[in-house]
Amino acid sequence: MASVESAAKALETVTVSKTKELKGTEKRDTLIQIEKKYQQQWERDGVFQPNAPTTTEIPLHSISPAELREKFPKFFGTMAYPYMNGTLHVGHSFSVSKIEFTAGFARMQGRRVLFPMGFHCTGMPIKACADKLINEVKMFGKNFEGYSEEDAEEDNAKKNAAPAPSAHREDVTKFTAKKGKAAAKVVKMKYQFQIMRTLGIPLEEIHLFADPGHWLEHFPPLCRRDLTNFGCRIDWRRSFVTTDANPYYDSFVRWQMNRLRELKKIKFGKRYTIYSPKDGQPCMDHDRSEGEAVGPQEYTALKLKVLDWAPEAKESVKGRVPDDANVFFVPATLRPETMYGQTCCFVGPKITYGVFKVSENDYYVVTDRAARNMAYQGIFPQNGIVEKVADVIGSACVGTLVKAPLSVHKEGVRILPMETVLPTKGTGVVTSVPSDSPDDYATVTDLAKKADYYGIKKEWAELDIVSIISTPSYGDLAAPFLVKKLKIASPKDTKQLEEAKELAYKEGYYQGIMNYGDFKGEKVEIAKPKVRQQLLDAGEGFAYAEPEKRIVSRSGDDCCVALMDQWYLDYGEDSWKKTALEYVSDADRKGLNTYSLETKNGFEGVLNWLNQWACARTYGLGSKLPWDPQFLVESLSDSTIYMAYYTIAHFLHQDIFGKTTGLLDIKPDQMTDEVWDYVFARRDLTEDILTQSNISKESLATMRREFEYWYPLDLRVSGKDLIPNHLTFFLYIHLAIFPPEYWPKGVRANGHLLLNGEKMSKSTGNFMTLDGMVKKYGADASRIALADAGDGVADANFEEDVADNNVLRLFTLKEWCEEQVNDPSKLRSDTKNPFLDRLFENEMNTIVRECRQHYEATDYKLAVKSALYDFISARDFYREACTAAGIKMHRDLVLRYIELQALLLAVIAPHWSEYIWLEILKKPETIQNALFPDAPAPNPSLTAEREYVRAVSSNITSAEAAQQKKKAKGREIGFDPKKPKKVTIFAAEKFPAWQEKYIELVREAYDGESVNDKELTPKISKMGEMKKAMPFVQSLKRRLLAGEAASNVFERKLAFDEIKTLKQMVPGLKKAANLKVVNIVHVAEGGKTGTMVDGSEVSSLAPSAEHAVPGMPTFYFENVEE
């Protein structure tokens, strides 16, 4: 035991949590107790277990599936099922919340709602981690007792070492994902058992995870626990694990792959793929610990034959390379069309190159890294094997004369030094075309200026630069033009060079015309492949590929690119791509709803570059490829249409592993490919299907009904980082497998989630699991904070202060509701008064309707503002106004408020709402079955009057405060705030004449629904009174947009009686502002005279009277006698 404790001590981290520390938890604990009660009750009552209308109720195909869905409205939504190599974190909960809130509102629209959840286990991650643990148990013992504090200190020292620099040149024709989940998940720990400790696994249990199957047993129950505690409306009957661990799902995946092959979507052949030599198989996105969404980059490799070695290089290869051998420096280029303009070839002077034997008489000079890539691309004699005969330092090669294919300089060009060449990109050899590459032009210019410094002959860097491409913006020599224009002085001006490169490359490719060579006069984008093929056919070049960026497999291997025979999905095939692009464009409003332009653009970008995708591998967990069982279906290919499987999963099995048959008592081997076809509406029922499957006609009809009712999928929610792979694959395969009626209707991509304004990171302590969040703040307060975090594709922000504040808010609101219902004596039950009661009722109606609009638009940040913050604010104003006026709140309105508050919050805070609904309001059944409330259209006059009351109350308070500030500064204000005081309110009879012209401008810009600001603002600006006019114009716009009749606004009539409203406000104003007297004066035009409410005339009014306009009164304070 002591050894276990010693190992545990060595694993302790010094990272201090940066998340908020709570002080009092009594209120939170009360709310969590309520949450637990209703979670158990919902599960016991099967509240979230919907079914399609049975074939007994509506016989199969007695009406069409579309008619069935219209008669019984439904909503089917899913999120990407989480991977089972750990517990869920707050980022997962953000994606969950989007589908959860949408599902909650769909229930309140009267729809049957299905929100299922499965558990993804396919691929390398689990198997790779299990294999690491096998080795670590061997190294350190079953409980890792051999791992010491000294080991920990050494590992920390290595971890804190500075990272190596990297560089990346992009192909301008290709979209690249900027951020991936794998990158965000990197945990900087050396050993897998250390990572397991951070997941909360006891040290003595970690060795069990050396069995991949144990991961599948351990993490799915924790996922279900966490999502249940979060209050998710999930139908857990339909859950499953992927891989052949569940024979039913395994059958489903094999059917899917068979059908895709029959449709010629899956093909076999040689193609470039990311490959792990260590694992001996392709390394796809989910198999990576670094480099997700990174693919192969294909180059044209050029063979620059050595004509005359530099002396030092010649010594390095002497005796290692035959004298008559052909030795080639091999640069890799993305721009073969520019090779006519080669004037030299660059090497990194500090880079060590290898000389690799390619055949009996041919040798290539490249970096070791490039040779490793070439070894798996059929370039060397034996696959995976390289024969290096010599090493040569780059500086030794400087001055070597080489023949550059296609170059105008037929006598040869020289190898020259370039400090910025990287051994981690391309072959480490870079050919130079200074006519079209700003980097190359800046470098050869610098070399020529400092020839002696670089140890070269000046003329080597001064070969003629000829025009290869003509561009409309930069002329015939784009690189020299841009270097001069951007004032680039040397190769060290990296920022300007990067800008110049992008400008030159993009314009050259998309708008350039060839100015030289066999394809002179042709557009560059047309000539480029022709020049490339010319080089390949002449044997002066060959195809070469490497990863766009560094990719590391889950097993820790640096991946390369291999050209290999493999099964692949032919994404990007012309007709398939065209169908997908048309569906995403949604031109007829019958396509895919992407909820945001950024998501739509993301799909279109990926569809335009995505092509062949390896769908099989040999290592990991998964289902075997049916026709070639040596391969497993890879993790992004078995997870494309599993949403269809959800529709019938509960009929097939009771447990996630399929060990116990489901409701229809069907065995896995009965689910033949033909049965899957029938269930998923791909074929009609035949006697052969009934005979071969031995499944009853009734059971088959039941499954078909369930699929035809729930499909198509209404909403798919996922992080935006899955657009380059999973979400696009999901779309492609649905379009291939299912009839158009069952294609998905919507995809909502969300951004990443920040925690307290910073990126989540275990290493910095700014990290929180879903379980930790719910334990810390409870489910409802956490859900409110997630709703408040944001709704767009941009990164959102979970603020712990928001969750913490809402614990108090929900608890206090719960107690207030209880108090109002339990003590009726605090409320009145007479006839509703025409002022405060009427205003409050109208405001509730307004907020209810606004809230519905926000839920319908899936704007949850705005929805929670209306449903909680604004609704409480309306209650507070009513309560305070009633108190100030010396009257009780009305019982009917208070009870309606409580009921509406529960209903408005039921989507986002369901547990709190359920408590109010059942325990306080004593409703007969769960609020989960309640409909969203209907509210009468708000009365614009009452809305305007409410805003007026609030504004006047606030303005009187702020006006007095402003006077007090003046007094504090020693200025005379005309009254003593500490003595009894009165306020005179000046309400104008008419609007000032100067406003007429602005009313006309607003009238012209108003189209009945909105005001055209682009048209209006310049006209106001020309009047020269912006400071005075804009507040007035804004007030007109607010009234119009609030629904007030345009005739009232433009004819300058208030929607309410201002004097009458002010008279009703007097009692409240006296109490709220501590006023002895409140006088109201109806000011005549000019502001010098007016009429008191008792009819008496007054003159010599205070100067502030002149500034009053209808709806915007002014005030004057003075003291009065006791």
Side-chain angles (χ1 to χ4, degrees):
M1 191 64 192
S3 59
V4 176
E5 291 174 355
S6 175
K9 184 177 180 182
L11 287 168
E12 288 177 359
T13 64
V14 295
T15 303
V16 179
S17 174
K18 291 174 66 177
T19 56
K20 184 172 182 176
E21 184 177 345
L22 299 186
K23 294 179 181 173
T25 62
E26 184 181 344
K27 294 178 176 63
R28 177 205 65 187
D29 295 343
T30 299
L31 294 175
I32 289 179
Q33 190 176 4
I34 291 171
E35 292 167 358
K36 296 293 184 190
K37 174 183 176 179
Y38 290 116
Q39 288 161 7
Q40 293 167 9
Q41 189 169 309
W42 294 333
E43 187 161 356
R44 184 176 65 247
D45 296 343
V47 173
F48 307 130
Q49 296 179 1
N51 297 301
T54 66
T55 53
T56 304
E57 297 172 76
I58 309 288
L60 187 67
H61 298 161
S62 60
I63 60 176
S64 71
E67 290 171 325
L68 181 71
R69 294 190 289 270
E70 186 176 353
K71 186 172 183 178
F72 301 97
K74 62 88 182 180
F75 171 81
F76 178 23
T78 64
M79 66 166 278
Y81 48 19
Y83 198 79
M84 290 296 101
N85 61 345
T87 54
L88 305 186
H89 55 69
V90 177
H92 288 109
S93 68
F94 184 57
S95 290
V96 170
S97 72
K98 299 307 177 190
I99 186 67
E100 169 65 17
F101 297 156
T102 309
F105 182 64
R107 290 184 69 96
M108 300 192 79
Q109 292 175 304
R111 296 195 265 176
R112 300 189 191 196
V113 171
L114 176 57
F115 173 20
M117 183 68 70
F119 309 107
H120 199 197
C121 309
T122 309
M124 277 187 61
I126 289 174
K127 183 72 167 68
C129 292
D131 288 351
K132 288 179 184 177
L133 287 173
I134 290 173
N135 293 329
E136 290 166 20
V137 167
K138 290 178 183 176
M139 290 170 62
F140 300 117
K142 180 179 176 181
N143 292 320
F144 310 98
E145 56 271 17
Y147 186 76
S148 66
E149 292 184 53
E150 289 76 16
D151 293 323
E153 289 173 5
E154 182 181 340
D155 292 340
N156 281 332
K158 290 179 180 177
K159 180 183 76 175
N160 294 327
S166 64
H168 178 51
R169 282 190 179 182
E170 294 183 355
D171 181 347
V172 298
T173 67
K174 191 168 183 180
F175 167 85
T176 311
K178 301 296 182 189
K179 189 174 183 181
K181 285 167 80 176
K185 289 180 180 175
V186 175
V187 179
K188 294 181 180 179
M189 294 185 180
K190 183 175 181 180
Y191 297 110
Q192 182 62 39
F193 74 92
Q194 296 171 314
I195 297 171
M196 303 305 287
R197 284 281 288 173
T198 69
L199 297 176
I201 310 297
L203 192 62
E204 60 272 18
E205 293 180 18
I206 292 177
H207 69 92
L208 299 173
F209 291 85
D211 173 12
H214 190 68
W215 296 69
L216 279 61
E217 298 276 358
H218 182 84
F219 286 111
L222 298 183
C223 179
R224 176 171 178 170
R225 175 203 69 189
D226 293 348
L227 290 172
T228 298
N229 291 343
F230 187 55
C232 286
R233 301 169 173 91
I234 292 173
D235 184 353
W236 291 110
R237 298 175 303 160
R238 302 171 188 258
S239 299
F240 56 87
V241 295
T242 64
T243 77
D244 54 8
N246 183 320
Y248 295 95
Y249 189 76
D250 183 56
S251 170
F252 166 75
V253 171
R254 286 187 283 109
W255 159 78
Q256 171 191 334
M257 302 307 285
N258 277 331
R259 292 299 177 253
L260 288 170
R261 188 186 181 205
E262 289 171 7
L263 291 166
K264 295 184 168 43
K265 303 301 182 187
I266 293 179
K267 298 178 180 177
F268 187 77
K270 287 190 179 296
R271 59 179 296 278
Y272 288 116
T273 190
I274 302 299
Y275 182 80
S276 166
K278 179 179 179 181
D279 300 328
Q281 66 170 11
C283 184
M284 309 315 291
D285 272 10
H286 283 185
D287 302 330
R288 304 171 187 175
S289 63
E290 183 181 338
E292 187 174 1
V294 177
Q297 174 67 69
E298 189 171 347
Y299 295 87
T300 302
L302 296 172
K303 296 164 66 174
L304 276 64
K305 185 178 180 181
V306 173
L307 301 177
D308 184 22
W309 281 105
E312 192 177 339
K314 189 173 185 178
E315 285 300 314
S316 296
V317 301
K318 188 176 182 179
R320 300 170 183 269
V321 176
D323 292 341
D324 61 346
N326 300 314
V327 183
F328 301 92
F329 280 78
V330 183
T333 182
L334 293 170
R335 306 192 69 195
E337 73 280 6
T338 66
M339 292 303 100
Y340 301 106
Q342 295 175 85
T343 63
C344 64
C345 179
F346 295 126
V347 294
K350 296 177 183 177
I351 296 175
T352 298
Y353 294 86
V355 181
F356 297 91
K357 185 175 182 179
V358 183
S359 66
E360 281 304 314
N361 213 39
D362 288 350
Y363 296 80
Y364 290 166
V365 179
V366 293
T367 59
D368 289 356
R369 174 185 165 279
R372 184 172 182 254
N373 274 282
M374 292 179 184
Y376 293 94
Q377 296 173 25
I379 295 169
F380 294 141
Q382 289 181 273
N383 191 59
I385 297 175
V386 299
E387 183 180 346
K388 183 161 70 169
V389 300
D391 283 317
V392 56
I393 191 76
S395 57
C397 300
V398 172
T400 297
L401 184 68
V402 295
K403 179 184 178 183
L406 297 184
S407 174
V408 297
H409 299 289
K410 304 298 183 185
E411 68 284 359
V413 300
R414 297 286 177 173
I415 302 291
L416 298 179
M418 188 182 201
E419 296 288 346
T420 54
V421 172
L422 294 174
T424 54
K425 196 67 184 171
T427 61
V429 180
V430 180
T431 193
S432 171
V433 184
S435 59
D436 292 272
S437 168
D439 283 300
D440 294 350
Y441 181 75
T443 300
V444 295
T445 301
D446 189 59
L447 288 170
K449 285 180 182 177
K450 304 174 184 176
D452 292 341
Y453 173 78
Y454 287 110
I456 65 170
K457 294 182 180 180
K458 187 177 181 182
E459 58 266 26
W460 293 350
E462 289 186 326
L463 296 188
D464 290 342
I465 298 174
V466 299
S467 171
I468 306 301
I469 294 170
S470 178
T471 62
S473 301
Y474 314 127
D476 292 342
L477 294 170
F481 179 92
L482 285 165
V483 167
K484 184 177 180 180
K485 180 181 178 182
L486 298 178
K487 299 179 180 178
I488 296 168
S490 80
K492 294 180 180 179
D493 295 335
T494 53
K495 186 177 179 181
Q496 298 99 306
L497 280 169
E498 192 65 33
E499 181 185 353
K501 179 180 75 173
E502 185 172 352
L503 293 171
Y505 284 17
K506 284 191 175 180
E507 173 138 347
Y509 181 77
Y510 291 110
Q511 298 184 55
I513 301 295
M514 294 299 295
N515 223 10
Y516 191 93
D518 293 346
F519 308 104
K520 183 177 180 180
E522 293 189 16
K523 294 183 69 175
V524 168
E525 56 185 321
I526 294 172
K528 179 174 182 171
K530 295 180 181 180
V531 177
R532 182 177 195 268
Q533 194 59 48
Q534 197 176 53
L535 286 163
L536 301 185
D537 292 344
E540 294 182 320
F542 57 90
Y544 166 73
E546 65 180 29
E548 294 170 301
K549 296 179 183 177
R550 186 178 186 225
I551 298 172
V552 180
S553 73
R554 297 277 181 179
S555 60
D557 190 25
D558 264 305
C559 294
C560 63
V561 168
L563 181 65
M564 57 192 303
D565 284 325
Q566 60 183 184
W567 296 103
Y568 62 88
L569 277 154
D570 195 16
Y571 296 133
E573 182 271 321
D574 288 344
S575 62
W576 202 7
K577 178 170 76 172
K578 181 182 177 185
T579 303
L581 284 167
E582 287 175 354
Y583 196 64
V584 168
S585 73
D586 193 24
D588 58 0
R589 296 298 178 201
K590 294 179 181 178
L592 188 71
N593 178 8
T594 56
Y595 291 83
S596 76
L597 185 60
E598 185 174 345
T599 299
K600 182 179 180 180
N601 291 341
F603 269 117
E604 290 174 341
V606 173
L607 287 167
N608 278 315
W609 68 257
L610 180 68
N611 52 29
Q612 302 164 356
W613 182 271
C615 59
R617 46 170 169 55
T618 58
Y619 176 83
L621 305 180
S623 297
K624 290 182 172 62
L625 207 58
W627 62 89
D628 198 351
Q630 65 175 314
F631 291 108
L632 297 170
V633 181
E634 66 94 24
S635 61
L636 281 166
S637 298
D638 84 335
S639 57
T640 54
I641 57 170
Y642 64 87
M643 312 87 211
Y645 186 83
Y646 282 133
T647 64
I648 62 167
H650 59 308
F651 292 138
L652 301 179
H653 50 81
Q654 292 185 42
D655 64 292
I656 61 175
F657 294 98
K659 294 176 181 177
T660 306
T661 57
L663 297 174
L664 298 181
D665 196 28
I666 296 170
K667 304 291 192 296
D669 58 4
Q670 292 178 271
M671 294 301 294
T672 64
D673 283 359
E674 291 70 28
V675 168
W676 290 111
D677 280 340
Y678 173 72
V679 169
F680 293 145
R682 299 184 78 250
R683 68 168 60 197
D684 294 328
L685 187 61
T686 64
E687 284 299 320
D688 285 347
I689 293 176
L690 291 168
T691 303
Q692 292 170 12
S693 70
N694 200 26
I695 301 174
S696 71
K697 188 174 183 180
E698 292 73 25
S699 293
L700 288 168
T702 297
M703 290 192 287
R704 173 88 169 234
R705 162 55 56 79
E706 200 80 5
F707 170 76
E708 288 184 340
Y709 177 69
W710 290 115
Y711 248 58
L713 182 69
D714 295 290
L715 179 63
R716 179 73 168 164
V717 171
S718 178
K720 62 184 178 183
D721 54 308
L722 292 188
I723 293 174
N725 44 58
H726 164 71
L727 288 174
T728 303
F729 299 173
F730 149 84
L731 184 62
Y732 259 131
I733 304 302
H734 270 87
L735 269 53
I737 291 283
F738 298 112
E741 180 180 356
Y742 302 109
W743 291 355
K745 305 307 292 181
V747 170
R748 178 177 182 142
N750 54 262
H752 298 273
L753 187 70
L754 304 176
L755 179 58
N756 300 321
E758 296 180 16
K759 181 181 175 181
M760 279 200 292
S761 168
K762 286 183 180 179
S763 62
T764 63
N766 194 51
F767 185 82
M768 191 181 292
T769 63
L770 173 54
D771 180 53
M773 175 182 70
V774 172
K775 284 178 177 174
K776 193 170 187 177
Y777 298 111
D780 285 340
S782 297
R783 291 164 67 108
I784 290 169
L786 285 167
D788 195 72
D791 292 302
V793 183
D795 290 351
N797 183 31
F798 180 89
E799 286 282 358
E800 287 194 84
D801 283 344
V802 174
D804 194 18
N805 293 339
N806 276 295
V807 170
L808 177 61
R809 184 175 282 111
L810 291 176
F811 183 85
T812 304
L813 187 55
K814 175 187 80 73
E815 287 202 322
W816 182 85
C817 293
E818 289 170 332
E819 186 181 330
Q820 304 312 306
V821 173
N822 295 336
D823 189 0
S825 65
K826 292 186 175 182
L827 305 172
R828 70 180 209 280
S829 301
D830 56 359
T831 304
K832 295 175 189 172
N833 70 46
F835 183 50
L836 293 178
D837 290 348
R838 201 167 55 133
L839 293 183
F840 180 47
E841 187 170 34
N842 186 71
E843 185 167 14
M844 286 195 290
N845 292 338
T846 301
I847 293 173
V848 167
R849 292 171 76 92
E850 285 176 353
C851 192
R852 177 188 285 273
Q853 291 172 356
H854 296 323
Y855 278 131
E856 287 174 344
T858 68
D859 290 331
Y860 300 114
K861 185 177 180 70
L862 294 176
V864 79
K865 177 181 180 294
S866 294
L868 183 60
Y869 306 137
D870 291 350
F871 214 56
I872 288 178
S873 177
R875 186 275 318 256
D876 290 346
F877 183 79
Y878 176 59
R879 179 176 59 180
E880 291 160 11
C882 285
T883 301
I887 61 173
K888 296 177 181 178
M889 293 184 292
H890 198 284
R891 176 176 173 78
D892 291 350
L893 290 178
V894 168
L895 290 178
R896 182 161 188 261
Y897 166 82
I898 294 172
E899 180 171 325
L900 289 174
Q901 181 67 90
L903 289 167
L904 296 186
L905 268 186
V907 171
I908 293 172
H911 312 87
W912 184 91
S913 294
E914 187 77 293
Y915 178 84
I916 301 298
W917 193 252
L918 296 178
E919 302 293 331
I920 296 179
L921 298 176
K922 308 298 182 185
K923 299 290 185 178
E925 66 168 352
T926 174
I927 199 170
Q928 297 285 0
N929 294 334
L931 296 178
F932 197 85
D934 284 323
N939 183 326
S941 297
L942 292 176
T943 301
E945 188 174 9
R946 178 201 68 201
E947 292 303 319
Y948 178 84
V949 170
R950 281 186 168 167
V952 169
S953 301
S954 174
N955 290 344
I956 286 178
T957 304
S958 58
E960 184 182 3
Q963 295 293 324
Q964 289 176 341
K965 283 184 180 178
K966 287 182 181 179
K967 184 174 177 64
K969 292 179 180 179
R971 295 162 63 183
E972 180 57 44
I973 63 171
F975 77 103
D976 187 343
K978 296 179 181 179
K979 293 181 179 180
K981 55 187 179 293
K982 78 171 184 179
V983 67
T984 300
I985 302 175
F986 300 114
E989 287 182 349
K990 294 182 179 179
F991 288 91
W994 66 266
Q995 295 178 350
E996 286 286 353
K997 55 192 174 189
Y998 295 105
I999 288 175
E1000 285 307 311
L1001 290 179
V1002 175
R1003 193 198 302 267
E1004 290 171 7
Y1006 182 61
D1007 63 5
E1009 291 184 2
S1010 62
V1011 175
N1012 187 337
D1013 286 324
K1014 287 185 178 179
E1015 175 188 316
L1016 178 63
T1017 305
K1019 290 181 179 179
I1020 296 173
S1021 180
K1022 287 180 182 178
M1023 299 283 192
E1025 299 177 308
M1026 285 288 281
K1027 191 172 182 181
K1028 180 169 72 169
M1030 283 309 291
F1032 171 66
V1033 169
Q1034 293 297 340
S1035 70
L1036 294 178
K1037 286 169 57 181
R1038 279 195 297 271
R1039 292 172 63 189
L1040 289 167
L1041 298 178
E1044 195 174 328
S1047 58
N1048 279 358
V1049 176
F1050 294 135
E1051 290 169 22
R1052 296 208 287 181
K1053 294 177 182 176
L1054 291 182
F1056 56 93
D1057 186 328
E1058 184 174 15
I1059 297 298
K1060 182 180 177 182
T1061 300
L1062 285 170
K1063 287 166 68 176
Q1064 291 172 318
M1065 290 178 65
V1066 168
L1069 288 175
K1070 282 184 175 180
K1071 189 164 185 179
N1074 194 24
L1075 298 166
K1076 194 76 174 176
V1077 178
V1078 175
N1079 285 339
I1080 301 169
V1081 176
H1082 209 179
V1083 181
E1085 190 169 0
K1088 303 298 183 184
T1089 62
T1091 307
M1092 300 284 286
V1093 292
D1094 61 4
S1096 59
E1097 300 288 333
V1098 289
S1099 59
S1100 302
L1101 300 179
S1104 58
E1106 295 181 31
H1107 302 292
V1109 294
M1112 298 174 66
T1114 55
F1115 319 102
Y1116 179 70
F1117 292 92
E1118 57 189 316
N1119 293 118
V1120 294
E1121 297 297 326
E1122 286 284 359

